[in-house]
Amino acid sequence: MKKSMLYITASVGLMLSLASCNDFLETEPFDKLVPGSFFATEEDLELYTNSFYQQMLPSADAATQGDGMADYSSITQSSNFISGNYSSVDEGSWNWSNLRNINYFLANYNNEAIPEEARNHYAGIARFFRAWFYIEKVQRYGNVPWYDTPLTTDDEALYKTQDPREVVMQHVLEDLNFAAENIREAKDNTSSTITRQVALAYKSRIALYEGTYRKYHTELNLAGTADQWLTEAANAAKMVMDAGTYSLYNTGKPTSDYRTLFISENAVSQEVMFAMVFNNALKRWHALTWKFNSATYGSRWGLNKQFINTYLMTDGSRFTDKAGYDELLFVDEMANRDNRLAQTVRSLGYKRSDGSPAPPNFGYTFTGYHILKWSMDDKRLDGIGEAYNTIPLMRYAEVLLNYAEAKAELGEFDDMEWAKTIGLLRQRAGVNAAIPQTADPYLREVYFPEIADKYLLEIRRERGIELCYENLRYQDLMRWKKGKLVEMPWKGIYVPAMDRPMDLDGNGTPDVSFVSKTPDAAQPGVTYFVIDNNISKLSGGTSGHVIWGANEERSFEDKKYLYPISNSDIVLNPSLVQNPGWK
């Protein structure tokens, strides 16, 4: 009964409409669905659970641009949460409507007239999405109320306090275990529905998150249970690896295989396990190409130099071991690097589909490391929301990384584990996969001074590079307790001198010039980037690295590992306890 979620009609969403923002306090949202008559066939169960995909999956924007809050990204302006005076008044009221729909299904689906296997399959889908719902709540708020029944407006449980994190996450694990045991195994080549392998992959993500969060957030007093979660993560990932259903997409073209995963209309189902599917013929579009290639529509995302430095050379050596690595011109620092770099940001020789050169555009980015990964090559899409590349939400590459990190955190990672995880990823990228002999001093100095294990450092390097801008980096920082990294300066390319046009794509023609004011007679093809010594600076005054957002004071105090409970929610339910440090 698998169907691509692309073809679910809008009528399903209308029929199974969710409660309004007043969530639990609204009247029964399913008054037209009588359990005894609606939950009568397998088709009814399928129809109902299809609504979870519609209502709970992230937008294309959220799935690709959430890393704008992370350490490796520069944007037009930091979020108020990072650079402003964020408070519980700024936090929006939490919404539980999706949970109510899930719990309503789980309270009514179990009609014995439907085969047990089918009932368990769709219950597994529902419990997968309940885990999805709750992990987002726990990541944001920590302790939250656990509900596993559909509440009525007079239910006293509406006004209970939060349940402890360990209680909620144990329920999440139970839901994921049920999903992984009962959802059907058959692979969906559209990558648009939840299968058993997807549930296992997601379990590996969540268990790794919780295990490392407990390990590094010692203030929770849960470090003694961290290894249990890390073991769950490693075991779930290993089950996916052993099943052989998925593998890395590797056609032997290291200069294009990686980016193919992100600009293809049809999901590359060899590796992409779960995705948001788009389709040009059906006019199911998104606006990512426009947002990543606009001075006004998007936030002018770019990577920062500190992160660019972590990409290895193709021979496997460290870029940061090169003499003068930090002051190389853009055309020099991009040469002979891990091939994923030129498939993540615009680099040497990049051209659009019409053959026109397309160097990094300082009208669309502030650091010069212009995000390419999600953009289609058709220039027409730079100004219209008609991109149709499918957006992966879960890839086999992440499963390998989840496994590697969990094993390393457990002290069980060795050369054999390297060969079947990090080694495979680097081979796909055309990078020599030799194991480093020592811990990388650059990674320790700039990112992880508390980590001495060479394997764990390389796994973290690989995770950042492989999963760049896939909406995982910010939560990685949260679980590693590395929120302070978001205070890092937004550092861009090296500029040898003001008023000197620079070639950024290696074709011999100038592309950008850094000036104090735009000249009256502009040189054709040159973008003029104004250094105002307020928002934008050069680190050395008239030369040096571009520094964007120089006027911002980005701050990450420990309280920001959790968001505040909304003031409006505490007014409605005085039993709620505000998160530490927030008023």
Side-chain angles (χ1 to χ4, degrees):
M1 290 201 157
K2 291 219 188 318
K3 297 182 177 72
S4 168
M5 298 311 299
L6 178 63
Y7 302 104
I8 295 173
T9 63
S11 62
V12 175
L14 179 62
M15 182 178 182
L16 301 175
S17 60
L18 300 180
S20 74
C21 60
N22 292 319
D23 45 80
F24 285 135
L25 302 181
E26 286 293 298
T27 57
E28 173 62 65
F30 297 103
D31 55 302
K32 294 183 180 179
L33 294 181
V34 180
S37 59
F38 180 76
F39 296 100
T41 68
E42 181 175 347
E43 287 72 19
D44 291 342
L45 304 188
E46 180 184 30
L47 180 64
Y48 195 108
T49 56
N50 281 347
S51 71
F52 303 152
Y53 293 86
Q54 289 185 304
Q55 302 295 341
M56 297 185 64
L57 296 186
S59 66
D61 288 358
T64 58
Q65 297 164 10
D67 283 348
M69 281 183 62
D71 61 313
Y72 57 31
S73 183
S74 64
I75 55 177
T76 304
Q77 185 177 17
S78 290
S79 70
N80 187 40
F81 185 72
I82 300 298
S83 64
N85 296 312
Y86 200 85
S87 73
S88 61
V89 176
D90 299 301
E91 179 68 8
S93 181
W94 56 19
N95 190 298
W96 301 79
S97 301
N98 288 331
L99 177 64
R100 190 167 184 238
N101 271 1
I102 293 167
N103 284 339
Y104 185 87
F105 174 84
L106 290 170
N108 292 287
Y109 80 96
N110 205 11
N111 186 336
E112 292 186 358
I114 303 172
E116 182 179 19
E117 183 276 336
R119 280 179 280 148
N120 288 342
H121 167 73
Y122 290 107
I125 298 293
R127 293 182 70 168
F128 174 93
F129 277 108
R130 186 164 65 185
W132 183 296
F133 174 90
Y134 262 108
I135 191 60
E136 289 184 344
K137 285 287 189 288
V138 170
Q139 286 177 337
R140 192 170 183 91
Y141 300 114
N143 299 339
V144 292
W146 171 263
Y147 298 107
D148 56 9
T149 59
L151 303 183
T152 59
T153 56
D154 59 352
D155 199 312
E156 291 183 0
L158 286 169
Y159 301 100
K160 74 173 187 175
T161 191
Q162 298 100 315
D163 289 297
R165 178 193 191 101
E166 55 267 40
V167 171
V168 175
M169 289 306 297
Q170 184 58 39
H171 286 306
V172 167
L173 182 60
E174 291 167 2
D175 277 350
L176 289 173
N177 283 338
F178 184 91
E181 292 165 5
N182 291 281
I183 295 176
R184 290 168 179 158
E185 179 74 34
K187 181 180 180 180
D188 170 20
N189 285 321
T190 70
S191 302
S192 63
T193 57
I194 307 300
T195 66
R196 181 171 299 170
Q197 296 300 313
V198 173
L200 284 167
Y202 190 65
K203 177 184 172 182
S204 76
R205 176 190 292 182
I206 300 312
L208 177 65
Y209 174 88
E210 187 64 11
T212 48
Y213 200 99
R214 293 185 183 201
K215 179 173 182 175
Y216 292 108
H217 286 264
T218 54
E219 73 278 5
L220 297 179
N221 295 317
L222 295 174
T225 60
D227 282 2
Q228 299 170 26
W229 284 87
L230 293 169
T231 300
E232 293 280 1
N235 290 345
K238 189 64 162 56
M239 290 178 71
V240 177
M241 295 160 66
D242 289 346
T245 307
Y246 296 93
S247 61
L248 293 181
Y249 176 71
N250 185 355
T251 70
K253 299 178 181 177
T255 60
S256 61
D257 281 346
Y258 178 72
R259 186 164 173 252
T260 295
L261 296 165
F262 310 105
I263 60 171
S264 297
E265 179 173 13
N266 297 318
V268 182
S269 60
Q270 176 181 335
E271 177 174 340
V272 176
M273 303 178 70
F274 188 44
M276 298 171 60
V277 179
F278 294 86
N279 183 280
N280 194 35
L282 295 177
K283 297 184 178 180
R284 178 169 165 76
W285 297 321
H286 58 78
L288 290 185
T289 300
W290 187 3
K291 288 198 169 185
F292 281 116
N293 297 282
S294 170
T296 55
Y297 186 37
S299 292
R300 295 176 68 174
W301 298 269
L303 292 182
N304 295 328
K305 170 66 171 169
Q306 298 95 322
F307 180 70
I308 294 293
N309 287 343
T310 69
Y311 284 78
L312 299 173
M313 307 300 291
T314 54
D315 65 5
S317 63
R318 300 165 184 151
F319 173 72
T320 49
D321 286 346
K322 292 170 65 76
Y325 73 88
D326 209 39
E327 296 184 354
L328 293 176
L329 295 178
F330 183 83
V331 292
D332 296 321
E333 71 169 318
M334 288 288 147
N336 302 315
R337 301 290 291 279
D338 180 330
N339 285 287
R340 287 170 295 188
L341 180 54
Q343 296 169 77
T344 301
V345 299
R346 290 193 186 187
S347 186
L348 306 179
Y350 172 64
K351 296 180 179 180
R352 304 307 292 273
S353 57
D354 63 358
S356 59
N361 190 323
F362 270 90
Y364 306 152
T365 184
F366 296 109
T367 62
Y369 303 111
H370 180 167
I371 302 295
L372 172 67
K373 181 171 176 173
W374 294 106
S375 295
M376 301 187 75
D377 295 326
D378 185 351
K379 287 195 293 187
R380 182 185 70 88
L381 301 176
D382 289 1
I384 191 169
E386 295 184 4
Y388 48 87
N389 45 319
T390 280
I391 309 300
L393 299 176
M394 176 69 66
R395 294 193 289 123
Y396 183 69
E398 185 197 341
V399 174
L400 297 182
L401 288 162
N402 293 346
Y403 176 79
E405 186 177 348
K407 296 294 279 187
E409 291 285 8
L410 289 165
E412 299 173 0
F413 194 85
D414 57 22
D415 292 3
M416 292 182 63
E417 305 290 8
W418 174 281
K420 60 190 180 188
T421 56
I422 307 305
L424 292 178
L425 289 164
R426 291 190 178 171
Q427 288 167 16
R428 192 254 296 274
V431 176
N432 186 307
I435 300 170
Q437 297 302 305
T438 59
D440 183 355
Y442 177 84
L443 288 179
R444 295 201 67 195
E445 178 184 355
V446 177
Y447 287 97
F448 310 117
E450 69 284 358
I451 303 296
D453 180 354
K454 68 177 183 180
Y455 289 121
L456 186 54
L457 284 170
E458 293 302 319
I459 291 165
R460 289 191 179 185
R461 180 206 305 275
E462 196 68 20
R463 186 174 181 89
I465 290 169
E466 178 68 29
L467 302 178
C468 184
Y469 260 73
E470 294 183 49
N471 201 31
L472 292 168
R473 179 69 171 191
Y474 183 76
Q475 290 302 336
D476 284 347
L477 299 182
M478 297 301 99
R479 63 189 178 89
W480 295 332
K481 205 174 183 181
K482 298 297 295 184
K484 279 289 184 181
L485 289 176
V486 305
E487 299 177 358
M488 189 178 292
W490 289 347
K491 180 177 173 181
I493 68 170
Y494 180 74
V495 179
M498 295 272 285
D499 303 308
R500 182 187 299 175
M502 298 175 61
D503 176 15
L504 297 180
D505 59 359
N507 67 355
T509 61
D511 302 303
V512 65
S513 183
F514 296 86
V515 297
S516 57
K517 66 176 183 177
T518 305
D520 294 332
Q523 186 174 348
V526 174
T527 298
Y528 291 92
F529 188 99
V530 175
I531 299 297
D532 64 7
N533 288 313
N534 179 26
I535 301 175
S536 59
K537 294 182 179 180
L538 294 183
S539 59
T542 58
S543 65
H545 292 280
V546 178
I547 305 295
W548 176 255
N551 62 330
E552 285 192 357
E553 293 186 12
R554 290 182 289 280
S555 175
F556 197 96
E557 305 90 357
D558 279 353
K559 70 176 183 178
K560 291 185 179 180
Y561 285 107
L562 298 175
Y563 278 75
I565 307 299
S566 171
N567 181 65
S568 61
D569 287 321
I570 291 178
V571 170
L572 286 171
N573 180 8
S575 296
L576 295 174
V577 177
Q578 185 56 273
N579 278 327
W582 296 100
K583 295 180 181 180

